[in-house]
Amino acid sequence: MKIKQICLDNLGIPNTTDKIPGYRHGDGLHFDANSELHQMHECIAHIIISAFPQIKTVLDVGSGAGSLSYFLRKLNNDLTVVTIDGNQETINSPFVKPEHHFIVRTDNEYSLVDEKNNLIKFDLICSFEHFEHIEPKAFDQFLSNFKKHSHENTIFWGTAAGYEFHGDDEAHLHCNVQSGEAWAEVLAVNGFGPGRSSLFEEYYHILSEAWRPPHGRAANSYEFVFKNVKPEIIL
């Protein structure tokens, strides 16, 4: 599938020394195949393939270096996996498929279309450890992009870190930390509802130590599996 992004004024985040809420330039640049930050996505890919065998298209929002897409394609090369991230240098990652990787701010409008200029509606939209990086004032647009690229059966799966940073150089990074209940309310107000039970619980046996409680990321994150229950809402 040939894909293009047609909101041409959305070019991601330029490399800058300024502190941008929710953003640190080096976070998306983990290009080492042996690093835990890369390897931890392999189990997530296995869960996706096991839980959603029928899917054909996946959008990974805030993909960073594209590690999840790398493992998904490795498991099922027939999948169309699109990655989007605001870091302009992520296009250099060895894990992305360049023609399916787009540099955009995920909290600004973007539009992904096929070769006939039809808006692509994805079967699965993922966003791991990314919600907390989106400023509250931009969150409606962030979710509007989800809605625009979903059909009536689209499933959304993701996590949000539940902790803040306090150091002077990091306090701006997690700019939208909320409780699980608060996140559920935000999603409900915007027309989303539960999609299925926790995949982390169902597929706990597949999770790597990088995710498993008490020391893995799932111990300090909130998991969401949801769907668009009010597609008539236009944000």
Side-chain angles (χ1 to χ4, degrees):
M1 181 189 297
K2 292 184 178 180
I3 302 171
K4 59 183 178 180
Q5 197 287 117
I6 60 173
C7 292
L8 300 182
D9 58 341
N10 189 347
L11 301 174
I13 302 172
N15 191 359
T16 176
T17 57
D18 294 339
K19 290 182 180 178
I20 299 172
Y23 182 76
R24 177 168 54 190
H25 186 68
D27 284 355
L29 305 180
H30 300 286
F31 298 168
D32 181 359
N34 295 315
S35 75
E36 182 181 89
L37 289 169
H38 174 67
Q39 293 291 333
M40 67 185 290
H41 290 87
E42 184 172 13
C43 68
I44 300 299
H46 277 283
I47 292 174
I48 289 172
I49 296 299
S50 298
F52 308 110
Q54 77 285 1
I55 63 172
K56 297 180 179 180
T57 56
V58 179
L59 174 64
D60 187 12
V61 179
S63 65
S67 295
L68 177 58
S69 70
Y70 169 85
F71 287 113
L72 283 171
R73 291 193 307 271
K74 190 174 179 180
L75 292 171
N76 182 357
N77 198 43
D78 291 330
L79 278 178
T80 296
V81 187
V82 177
T83 48
I84 60 174
D85 197 87
N87 190 322
Q88 295 179 347
E89 291 189 44
T90 55
I91 192 63
N92 299 320
S93 171
F95 310 127
V96 302
K97 189 174 183 177
E99 61 268 34
H100 287 171
H101 182 71
F102 299 93
I103 306 299
V104 296
R105 282 194 65 124
T106 61
D107 56 358
N108 289 354
E109 184 180 8
Y110 54 86
S111 293
L112 300 163
V113 301
D114 63 18
E115 58 270 19
K116 296 181 179 179
N117 284 325
N118 294 319
L119 194 68
I120 300 172
K121 309 281 188 174
F122 292 89
D123 298 326
L124 176 69
I125 298 178
C126 296
S127 189
F128 291 99
E129 306 291 274
H130 190 55
F131 278 33
E132 70 275 11
H133 294 275
I134 306 300
E135 287 187 282
K137 67 181 182 181
F139 210 80
D140 282 356
Q141 180 61 60
F142 178 75
L143 290 180
S144 180
N145 292 327
F146 278 31
K147 280 183 171 289
K148 183 168 67 173
H149 290 95
S150 65
H151 53 68
E152 62 180 2
N153 295 314
T154 299
I155 292 292
F156 306 85
W157 184 30
T159 61
Y163 59 91
E164 296 178 348
F165 289 106
H166 298 289
D168 290 343
D169 293 333
E170 298 181 316
H172 66 291
L173 295 178
H174 288 183
C175 58
N176 192 3
V177 174
Q178 303 196 44
S179 67
E181 293 79 9
W183 280 124
E185 183 175 349
V186 169
L187 292 170
V189 166
N190 284 284
F192 296 97
R196 58 178 291 168
S197 59
S198 166
L199 292 171
F200 282 169
E201 292 181 5
E202 184 175 351
Y203 292 94
Y204 183 83
H205 61 287
I206 294 179
L207 281 180
S208 69
E209 292 300 320
W211 286 99
R212 284 186 179 183
H215 304 298
R217 293 197 176 210
N220 296 301
S221 297
Y222 301 104
E223 179 195 8
F224 311 102
V225 188
F226 56 99
K227 60 184 179 181
N228 185 2
V229 296
K230 295 182 180 178
E232 73 279 5
I233 291 180
I234 305 297
L235 298 179

